[in-house]
């Protein structure tokens, strides 16, 4: 009666008694739900167009709550957490489906095996209703054979009769997705290419998330269900809105809820991870967190949440909003404070998928890396070379920035040459190390790119320090800082423009690269193909002038060192004008690397640093579908790339071209790169496996998704496609 | 013998005695001179490619210095200063040519008329050698008939025999160039179109330079020859290098030399004007200054220059380097301090040339103008409409910036609307005035474009003032200033992005425009076609959203005012992406206006504010032929414009397109605009006459420079092509 009264208050009339009216009311409610905030958020997160609309299924009702010969449950045909080929689910006797997923009663396991492994005292369906259980197992088999994928099913038992309510493709963790794809391919249920096509490349990224350092001390305050793997630490927040608010300010938050509902989706998305005190492995929090790749510990019943006071407590331990907790989605542990993490352990399925991807893809995958650690990591992840060494990153370190500053503050060219000598030594050592690690793979070294003022501080105190460290008068620092100040540094004196003004910098860098190549060769290592890349080129003349500097330096080093080495001089294509002039540039450039970060900035007239003020609104209003810095703007920037590829290859047949902007790790952008005929993508080391899978999918799509055989023109990685795991 | 000794020192051997060797040495010296600094500077100033090389003429020597029946002289077939059809020149008895042009001896006039008008005591050639003079007059006639242009000739008389040494097209002032072109066309020597084609449009610009205010008090300290017209004031400098140095720092300088030589060219270029104490109207300083359009007073013999002490003196007056002098190139006066100037008086030839230009050109010419003064000036110069009203310029004035700041500092939308009400009143008044002045001609009003932080000061003291004036807490000013700070404002929250975030600003501006149109109409004036221009569009959606706001506002104003008016909503095309998306944009845009300033910045990745640090070097090294902000980069930016024109017109047949970047006043860019089929160019009011001539030349060139008849599709100016002069 309370509900009926509530209905009266909400809709202003009595609850209808006519069943038809009720039915149409319910149907209408479903259609209306398409436009509620929850649905909008969901669509936004999953890139589902609003125009699709929704549908309503009308089914006869069955009841799982008519007595002890009734039950209801949800199940996955395989384990959605680790992918194991185990029947996996939960049920409640004498209950409706809502009771299971809402996590209000703790549900029972389907199988004896699962009951034992979870140490549950409640009997499994296999024990309570063995005949029904067998029938359900047959269904499981039938559904998987039909759909060729793991299914998420709902069933109700009404007076000992099994009804299947729903089946759909089951959400799963990244680990499970890979395992299931590999297993199904091995079982012959799907082909290898189908296995590859169904894995969202982002899943791979989730696998590479770090886990807790097993050696770290940790104060475990509670334990829940390991509902979604990975470790997460963050400031505790108790509402989805607060999670979003703090995340916007750059804070890492952990969302703690008694239980979650679809209203919390935006908070789950904003949080590093989720902890609930009620609900099981198939609770809302668990399912959504797995889908999003967020770590989740569910049903940690020992934790008491006080929303009003904004705190939680476990026994004598109290945690206020804003204090840090860590959760381990693999063990279900809830830990006080922040626990250090270690690199992820990858399963065999990962290696198999990567190997399969390499069979199909035609795009090469390189990494952007400057440090030995990054280079090693990239190599381990299967990078086929380095596509971008940002040499300036090497100059920001302690002792180095002093030499860099001395160079910038030099009174004349002679002074500058002395400082450059120092930098030469450092740069040569750094590059030698990179060449050594990459062991014969190509390495593209970009000449100094950022405006010089990035190396000079701007407060009086810091300038005084710099003056002292660099041994120059404070006034000169002040004057130089003022001279170097720019209104729009992104469009200022940077890139090849620096090398045009200071050819001696270009010469020093070329020398460092070639001396490094020689050093590696002399030490018996594989001599790399050094690729010298000139950034921010707008005109052929810029490239010609600098290519001459590089070539002269190469000839000098070869003579000095008494050895020959192969090198290429190429250019970054990162300005609209460079795209248009690609035909001319190709007369001099031996390779192109598309710098799509800057190309997006200039094509759109949009500063990446400043777009934050309005880009979210632009996405919300549908002005841009995707942040163009995340996923390549194929219509605008993409057209310029196409033009450049065509003109470049017309001028220089078979010219090598790649992309080294951050789009190089974005699957949609990788598909585009494949389509327009680039030779490689280069991305951050941790995106390399993602890119390998995305490249395979791109190749398969280009072949019409029909090919079930590996490409005959498959990219051959220089090392086993899948290294240490 | 001194010379011979000097030769030995310089070249390390004796001066050759063999005439052949001497001749070859001389020939070699000429060829070598092609690469000296003087020649390089000259080529750079006149855009002469280095690859042309030079030639040597070997002629028998004649001597003007063999006695009193010998003489040498230089002459112009018409007056190079005012263009009058008078024989004009100077000679010296018993002298060599060098003596005349170097200005060491003061030369004699050719004609009696000239001698009298200059009040010279020395007899003219007409008097000294009447037969030779008549022969020279015949030559003058022959040469003009042959070359169909005014000639600059050199002659020598050796023992009563006239030798013509050289003839070439004579340098002349802008005034003279127009007069000569008009006269020669009227004389039937050349056609009207030839008259138009031979006038460099830049000449027109020189004519528009101000002259000294005749009512101003002035302390004339000396008088020289009126060698090149126009008035110039500047800090006195005594060397070309110093002139260049100070000009770089933004100072206006006046170059003062005893006499100039080709080594001083860079200084002449850097200076506002030139004053010499020796030499005549054909001295180096005079010829070069006229060619460059720099005012020049030559041969002011009363002025004593002391290079070593860096000062000049006339009687008791001493002027140190850095003090200001004014020269009047029309009267030859040298004046202490800075004298106010008045707008130029234009000759009848100017009006005739403008009228002829209008007969031939097909491009319309509009002006960029915000103030009533500029609009009136533009109309007087023959502008056919306003192509760009930068509405933000109206907000920088005293009381207005306070309202603008109140709007920016508003706590919420309601607060903002109050401030916008104030701005509405001001904006409506301003636009009403522009519409009234332009009297039915089209006026393109651009919506707010610059980032908001341009309106907020950044020092503490100024922020406190703003807080007080706008009646908001200082902290809010500080916070807002910090919020609005941008790394690359040029690529930031500006243009239509502002209107997307604050549609109420767009609405206010649209209302101001439409209410102004209604007000002018109601007052009985010609109702203008208001063109509302949306800046910095990158996507169709931006334009669609704002067009809807504008259209809704227009409908509301039409209803409120009970009258209809025509308007168009269009967009600036100023981003590479907009060029590529022009086909889509044309679905919504009713006109395009190319904002080539920003389009150049983004296509090149080059900030106009920051390019100064390296662009001069880029020009010097031949990396760019022209500053792309001065003359449109036709290869790069131009290709994007071509693409946009094609795509736009394919989507919307006959779509109106123009250009409103500063290139709209640059002749080479105007030719490009004509070629790609734009309908109009819009430039600063003072460039309108330049643009009219350049547009005529562009039309003639497009027709193969052969047409001698006016175009049948000639642009019809809405008012007499040439107004008050």
């Amino acid at each position: 009666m309370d509900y009926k009264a509530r209905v009266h208050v909400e809709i202003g009339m009595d609850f209808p008694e006519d069943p038809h009216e009720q039915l149409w009311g319910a149907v209408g409610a479903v259609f209306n739900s398409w436009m509620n905030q929850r649905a909008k958020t969901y669509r936004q997160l999953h890139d589902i167009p609003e125009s699709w609309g929704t549908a309503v299924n009308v089914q006869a009702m069955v009841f799982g709550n008519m007595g002890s010969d009734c039950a209801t449950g949800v199940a996955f045909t395989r384990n959605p957490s680790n992918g194991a080929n185990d029947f996996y689910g939960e049920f409640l006797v004498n209950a409706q489906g809502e009771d299971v997923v809402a996590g209000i009663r703790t549900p029972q396991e389907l199988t004896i095996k699962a009951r034992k492994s979870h140490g549950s005292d409640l009997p499994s369906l296999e024990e309570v209703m063995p005949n029904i259980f067998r029938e359900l197992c047959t269904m499981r088999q039938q559904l998987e054979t039909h759909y060729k994928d793991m299914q998420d099913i709902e069933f109700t038992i009404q007076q000992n009769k099994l009804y299947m309510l729903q089946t759909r493709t089951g959400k799963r963790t990244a680990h499970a997705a890979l395992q299931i794809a590999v297993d199904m391919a091995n079982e012959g249920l799907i082909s290898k290419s189908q296995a590859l096509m169904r894995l969202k490349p982002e899943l791979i990224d989730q696998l590479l998330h770090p886990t807790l350092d097993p050696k770290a001390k940790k104060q475990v305050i509670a334990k829940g269900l390991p509902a979604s793997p990975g470790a997460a630490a963050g400031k505790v927040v108790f509402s989805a809105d607060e999670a979003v608010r703090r995340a916007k300010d750059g804070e890492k938050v952990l969302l703690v809820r008694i239980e979650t509902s679809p209203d919390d989706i935006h908070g789950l998305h904003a949080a590093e991870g989720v902890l609930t005190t009620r609900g099981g492995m198939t609770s809302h929090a668990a399912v959504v967190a797995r889908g999003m790749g967020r770590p989740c510990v569910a049903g940690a019943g020992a934790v008491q949440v006080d929303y009003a006071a904004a705190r939680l407590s476990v026994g004598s331990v109290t945690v206020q909003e804003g204090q840090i907790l860590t959760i381990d989605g693999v063990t279900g542990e809830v830990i006080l404070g922040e626990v250090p993490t270690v690199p992820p352990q990858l399963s065999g399925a990962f290696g198999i998928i990567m190997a399969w991807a390499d069979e199909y893809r035609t795009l090469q995958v390189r990494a952007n890396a400057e440090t030995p650690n990054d280079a090693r990591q990239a190599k381990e992840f299967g990078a086929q070379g380095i596509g971008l060494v940002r040499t300036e990153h090497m100059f920001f370190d302690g002792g180095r920035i002093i030499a860099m500053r001395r160079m910038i503050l030099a009174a004349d060219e002679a002074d500058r040459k002395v400082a450059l000598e120092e930098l030469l030594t450092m740069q040569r050592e750094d590059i030698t190390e990179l060449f050594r690690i990459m062991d014969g793979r190509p390495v593209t070294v970009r000449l100094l790119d950022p405006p010089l003022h990035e190396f000079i501080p701007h407060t009086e105190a810091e300038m005084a320090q710099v003056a002292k460290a660099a041994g120059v008068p404070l006034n000169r620092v002040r004057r130089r800082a003022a001279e170097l100040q720019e209104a729009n540094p992104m469009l200022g004196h940077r890139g090849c423009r620096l090398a045009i003004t200071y050819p001696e910098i270009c010469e020093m860098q070329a020398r460092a690269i070639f001396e490094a190549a020689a050093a590696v060769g002399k030490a018996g290592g594989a001599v790399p193909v050094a690729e010298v890349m000139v950034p921010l080129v707008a005109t052929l003349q810029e490239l010609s002038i600098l290519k001459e500097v590089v070539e002269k330096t190469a000839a000098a080093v070869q003579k000095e060192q008494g050895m020959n080495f192969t090198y290429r001089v190429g250019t970054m294509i990162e300005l609209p004008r460079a795209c248009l002039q690609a035909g001319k540039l190709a007369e001099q450039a031996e390779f192109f690397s598309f710098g799509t970060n800057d190309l997006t900035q200039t094509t759109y007239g949009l500063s990446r640093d400043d777009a934050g003020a309005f880009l979210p609104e632009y996405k919300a209003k549908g002005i841009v579908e995707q942040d163009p810095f995340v996923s390549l703007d194929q219509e605008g920037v993409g057209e310029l790339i196409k033009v450049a590829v065509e003109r470049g290859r017309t001028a220089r047949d078979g010219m090598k071209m790649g992309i080294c902007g951050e789009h190089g790790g974005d699957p949609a952008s990788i598909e585009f790169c494949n389509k327009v005929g680039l030779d490689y993508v280069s991305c951050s080391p941790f995106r390399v496996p993602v890119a390998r899978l995305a490249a395979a999918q791109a190749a398969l799509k280009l072949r019409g998704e029909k090919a079930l055989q590996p490409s005959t023109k498959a990219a051959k990685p220089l090392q086993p496609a899948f290294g240490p795991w």
Side-chain angles (χ1 to χ4, degrees), chain A:
Chain A
M1 290 316 288
D2 279 0
Y3 276 108
K4 280 198 175 177
R6 181 81 193 157
V7 166
H8 193 93
V9 170
E10 289 284 332
I11 66 170
M13 49 181 182
D14 286 338
F15 189 81
E17 293 300 323
D18 175 11
H20 287 94
E21 213 178 309
Q22 290 175 5
L23 183 61
W24 284 112
V27 168
V30 173
F31 281 122
N32 285 335
S33 74
W34 183 249
M35 291 308 290
N36 71 22
Q37 197 48 51
R38 245 162 49 199
K40 283 183 184 170
T41 302
Y42 185 87
R43 285 198 294 272
Q44 219 180 329
L45 293 178
H46 294 272
D47 293 323
I48 297 171
E50 205 156 86
S51 59
W52 281 8
T54 190
V56 180
N57 256 341
V58 181
Q59 284 178 299
M61 187 80 182
V62 287
F63 297 89
N65 56 352
M66 289 175 74
S68 62
D69 57 351
C70 298
T72 195
V74 298
F76 292 90
T77 56
R78 304 197 182 204
N79 186 317
S81 187
N82 61 23
N85 194 355
D86 292 328
F87 199 18
Y88 183 94
E90 295 162 327
F91 77 106
L92 284 171
V93 174
N94 197 13
Q96 282 293 67
E98 279 297 300
D99 305 333
V100 183
V101 293
I104 293 163
R105 281 165 60 188
T106 296
Q108 298 157 249
E109 303 289 341
L110 285 191
T111 63
I112 298 170
K113 183 177 167 190
R115 174 175 68 73
K116 286 186 176 161
S117 92
H118 288 158
S120 169
D121 296 334
L122 302 166
S124 67
L125 185 69
E126 196 172 0
E127 290 155 303
V128 178
M129 298 177 175
N131 289 337
I132 296 282
F133 175 74
R134 267 192 302 278
E135 202 182 337
L136 198 59
C137 287
T138 309
M139 286 288 175
R140 171 196 174 207
Q141 196 69 35
Q142 267 184 337
L143 288 169
E144 274 208 348
T145 308
H146 180 79
Y147 288 106
K148 297 179 192 301
D149 202 352
M150 185 267 268
Q151 295 295 298
D152 168 352
I153 58 183
E154 293 183 17
F155 60 90
T156 285
I157 299 154
Q158 179 178 312
Q159 293 163 322
N160 276 322
K161 186 168 164 58
L162 174 66
Y163 292 89
M164 301 301 292
L165 304 187
Q166 171 176 289
T167 186
R168 55 181 169 181
T169 299
K171 286 193 173 17
R172 63 204 78 178
T173 64
H175 270 291
L178 265 70
Q179 191 62 55
I180 292 171
V182 167
D183 286 350
M184 286 190 169
N186 286 338
E187 290 160 22
L189 209 55
I190 57 176
S191 69
K192 271 202 249 180
S193 58
Q194 282 172 325
L196 290 172
M197 285 306 292
R198 72 164 47 162
L199 294 172
K200 274 191 128 176
E202 288 307 326
L203 292 177
I204 303 291
D205 190 41
Q206 292 174 27
L207 289 183
L208 309 177
H209 283 170
T211 51
L212 293 184
D213 181 352
K215 284 170 288 182
K217 276 196 185 166
K218 49 189 186 181
Q219 187 183 346
V220 178
I221 57 169
K223 210 166 168 187
L225 295 168
S228 179
K235 293 185 182 169
V236 166
V237 293
F238 295 101
S239 77
D241 288 346
E242 183 65 17
V244 169
R245 209 171 300 129
R246 289 187 179 235
K248 263 195 189 153
D249 290 344
E251 294 182 30
K252 293 189 167 188
V253 298
L254 188 77
L255 180 62
V256 180
R257 298 286 297 168
I258 296 171
E259 55 191 317
T260 67
S261 78
D263 291 330
D264 295 318
I265 284 191
H266 59 302
L268 283 158
H269 195 73
E272 301 294 310
V274 192
L275 167 63
T276 66
T277 59
R278 277 215 293 239
M281 294 290 281
T282 52
S283 65
H284 177 264
V287 171
V288 173
R290 281 199 293 271
M292 288 181 175
R294 296 285 178 291
C296 175
V297 169
V303 177
Q304 297 291 324
V305 171
D306 182 344
Y307 286 138
R311 68 165 174 247
L312 64 81
S313 55
V314 192
S316 62
V317 179
T318 300
V319 176
Q320 300 287 344
E321 183 169 82
Q323 283 186 265
I324 294 179
L325 281 187
T326 301
I327 58 168
D328 184 341
V330 177
T331 62
E333 288 171 336
V334 180
I335 308 151
L336 209 58
E338 188 160 1
V339 181
T341 55
V342 291
Q345 296 299 310
L346 291 169
S347 71
F350 173 80
I352 293 165
I353 288 292
M354 285 294 107
W356 290 354
D358 292 344
E359 286 174 30
Y360 284 93
R361 72 187 163 93
T362 53
L363 266 181
Q364 303 222 348
V365 177
R366 295 190 186 185
N368 302 341
E370 293 82 40
T371 66
N373 273 347
D374 277 358
R376 270 188 287 266
Q377 181 69 72
K379 196 168 75 165
E380 285 182 359
F381 277 141
Q384 295 166 283
I386 296 184
L388 177 63
V389 177
R390 288 157 289 213
T391 48
E392 61 272 12
H393 283 213
M394 299 165 164
F395 294 140
F396 280 108
D397 259 21
R400 294 159 179 228
I401 198 162
I402 296 172
M404 189 68 189
R405 286 169 172 167
R406 204 170 287 147
M407 192 272 286
I408 295 168
L409 297 166
D412 51 33
E413 198 176 317
D415 257 24
R416 193 156 44 242
K417 287 215 162 164
V418 174
L420 281 168
E421 273 303 315
E422 275 186 74
L423 288 171
L424 171 62
T425 310
M426 299 165 181
Q427 187 112 82
R428 183 179 50 227
E429 280 167 14
D430 290 338
I431 296 174
T432 303
E433 183 65 10
L434 287 183
F435 282 164
R436 198 174 285 136
I437 293 167
M438 292 315 290
D439 195 21
R441 291 168 188 76
V443 175
T444 310
V445 184
R446 179 176 70 182
L447 299 178
L448 189 68
D449 185 52
L452 296 183
H453 56 71
E454 287 196 9
F455 298 94
I456 303 282
H458 293 98
T459 68
E460 269 294 309
E462 287 169 317
M463 284 197 276
Q465 272 186 335
V466 166
K468 206 175 153 196
V472 297
L474 175 55
N475 252 339
R476 199 195 295 165
V477 180
R478 281 206 203 100
R479 204 190 53 227
R480 200 78 179 104
E483 276 173 13
L484 293 173
Q485 187 103 30
E486 294 187 305
N488 296 289
M490 156 69 207
L491 308 175
H493 198 187
R494 51 168 289 236
C496 68
R497 297 162 190 170
L498 290 172
I500 294 284
T501 312
Y502 308 111
E504 57 274 22
I505 298 180
C506 171
E507 197 187 316
M508 176 281 281
Q509 293 202 292
R511 179 165 280 278
I513 294 164
F514 297 133
E515 288 183 354
V520 171
K522 287 195 170 169
V527 183
V529 177
E531 300 179 328
V532 181
M533 181 154 73
V534 182
L536 211 73
V537 163
T539 75
L540 174 61
Q541 292 82 347
E542 290 169 325
L543 185 57
S544 305
I545 291 171
L546 296 177
K547 191 180 179 188
E548 198 184 321
V549 173
V550 173
E551 283 178 337
K552 272 191 189 159
T553 309
V557 173
Q558 291 188 334
K559 199 171 161 197
E560 288 160 22
Q561 302 283 332
M563 71 178 285
N564 286 327
F565 41 78
T566 312
Y567 68 93
R568 298 192 192 101
V569 182
T571 179
M572 262 179 106
I573 300 283
E574 49 186 337
L575 296 175
R577 196 176 196 279
C579 293
L580 299 169
Q581 293 279 298
K584 280 198 176 181
L585 295 178
E587 292 169 19
Q588 291 285 338
E590 293 165 293
F591 64 88
F592 281 170
S593 178
F594 289 92
T596 50
N597 296 347
D598 279 4
L599 189 56
T600 300
Q601 296 198 82
T602 46
T603 304
Y604 252 104
L606 191 59
S607 160
R608 215 174 158 185
D609 296 330
D610 304 313
F614 52 93
L615 213 48
E617 196 175 349
Y618 264 49
K619 275 187 76 174
K621 288 188 174 164
I623 296 172
V624 293
E625 280 173 34
Q626 289 277 342
D627 179 337
F629 297 112
V630 171
S631 197
L632 192 79
D633 161 39
Q634 298 186 16
E635 250 180 281
V637 178
E639 184 177 358
L640 286 173
I641 293 176
K642 262 190 267 180
V643 165
V645 170
E646 282 166 22
R647 295 185 182 178
R649 291 249 172 87
T650 302
R652 185 182 287 260
D653 197 35
M655 185 178 189
K656 197 166 75 161
M657 297 186 186
I659 177 180
C660 64
E662 290 192 18
H663 299 104
D666 168 65
S669 311
I670 291 169
E671 191 187 341
F672 174 83
C673 293
N674 190 64
K675 207 156 53 188
V676 300
L678 297 193
D679 298 300
Y680 69 88
V681 295
S682 188
C683 54
S684 68
F686 269 83
R687 298 294 292 186
V688 166
V690 175
R692 285 162 73 190
L693 175 57
Q697 294 182 345
L700 285 166
K701 280 192 197 168
L702 202 62
R703 292 159 61 194
E705 300 181 56
K706 282 175 195 146
L708 302 180
Q709 294 305 312
S711 158
T712 52
K713 196 198 150 200
K716 297 272 177 288
L718 289 170
Q719 66 156 43
F722 173 59
W725 307 283

